[in-house]
């Protein structure tokens, strides 16, 4: 399943690549959380990872929507979108903060580590070039 609609939206490609890499990292983070906090940690870790993936998806969609319209709309969408996404994360965590079936420490640790980890990891794969916006072109090997 692809979230990317065409080649003119590099932010969606980057988001899809980050989420794909996050799927590979999820078992490691979930196992570590389960080892530290038990089943509650596992649930918190998976919930936190899902919130991070949704956060990246909403951010990329917002940028993809605003970028073609105008630079001013893009800047406003990024700034106010960030505040709105923080509020949505707060709203998603607030109801489960005292739940018996989830470890809030695991949830918060996963959200922090996954957000920062995926962003740092993705830096290796992003092209900062107008010739190839978004992801770096893959190297082809000649046989």
């Amino acid at each position: 399943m692809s979230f990317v609609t065409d080649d003119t939206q590099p932010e969606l490609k980057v988001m899809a690549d980050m989420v794909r890499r996050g799927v590979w990292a999820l078992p490691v983070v979930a196992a570590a959380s389960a080892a530290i906090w038990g089943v509650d940690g596992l649930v918190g870790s998976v919930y936190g990872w899902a919130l991070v993936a949704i956060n990246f998806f909403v951010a990329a969609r917002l940028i993809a929507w605003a970028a073609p319209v105008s630079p001013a709309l893009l800047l406003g969408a990024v700034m106010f979108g960030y505040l709105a996404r923080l509020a949505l994360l707060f709203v998603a965590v607030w109801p489960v903060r005292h739940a018996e079936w989830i470890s809030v420490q695991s949830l918060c640790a996963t959200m922090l580590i996954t957000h920062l980890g995926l962003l740092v990891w993705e830096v290796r794969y992003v092209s900062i070039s107008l010739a190839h916006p978004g992801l770096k072109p893959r190297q082809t090997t000649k046989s």
Side-chain angles (χ1 to χ4, degrees):
M1 181 173 155
S2 176
F3 295 111
V4 182
T5 55
D6 59 26
D7 288 339
T8 63
Q9 298 178 318
E11 52 279 335
L12 296 177
K13 286 182 179 182
V14 171
M15 176 275 307
D17 194 56
M18 277 197 300
V19 171
R20 182 180 58 82
R21 292 180 200 291
V23 168
W24 287 101
L26 177 60
V28 175
V29 174
S33 294
I36 296 169
W37 292 286
V39 175
D40 297 347
L42 176 69
V43 172
S45 183
V46 172
Y47 186 59
W49 184 90
L51 291 176
V52 169
I54 291 168
N55 189 26
F56 284 150
F57 177 75
V58 171
R61 276 295 188 196
L62 193 58
I63 292 169
W65 167 76
V69 177
S70 76
L73 182 62
L74 175 63
L75 294 173
V78 169
M79 182 174 66
F80 292 110
Y82 175 72
L83 295 173
R85 289 182 296 113
L86 279 178
L88 288 174
L89 289 174
F90 176 80
V91 167
V93 172
W94 188 260
V96 300
R97 72 189 189 285
H98 295 303
E100 298 290 325
W101 49 269
I102 195 167
S103 167
V104 176
Q105 294 87 357
S106 171
L107 170 65
C108 293
T110 300
M111 286 174 55
L112 177 67
I113 291 168
T114 307
H115 266 110
L116 294 177
L118 288 175
L119 288 170
V120 169
W121 193 2
E122 192 66 19
V123 168
R124 295 183 57 211
Y125 303 101
V126 174
S127 172
I128 310 298
S129 164
L130 292 177
H132 299 286
L135 298 173
K136 290 180 184 175
R138 293 189 180 191
Q139 299 293 331
T140 57
T141 56
K142 294 182 181 182
S143 14

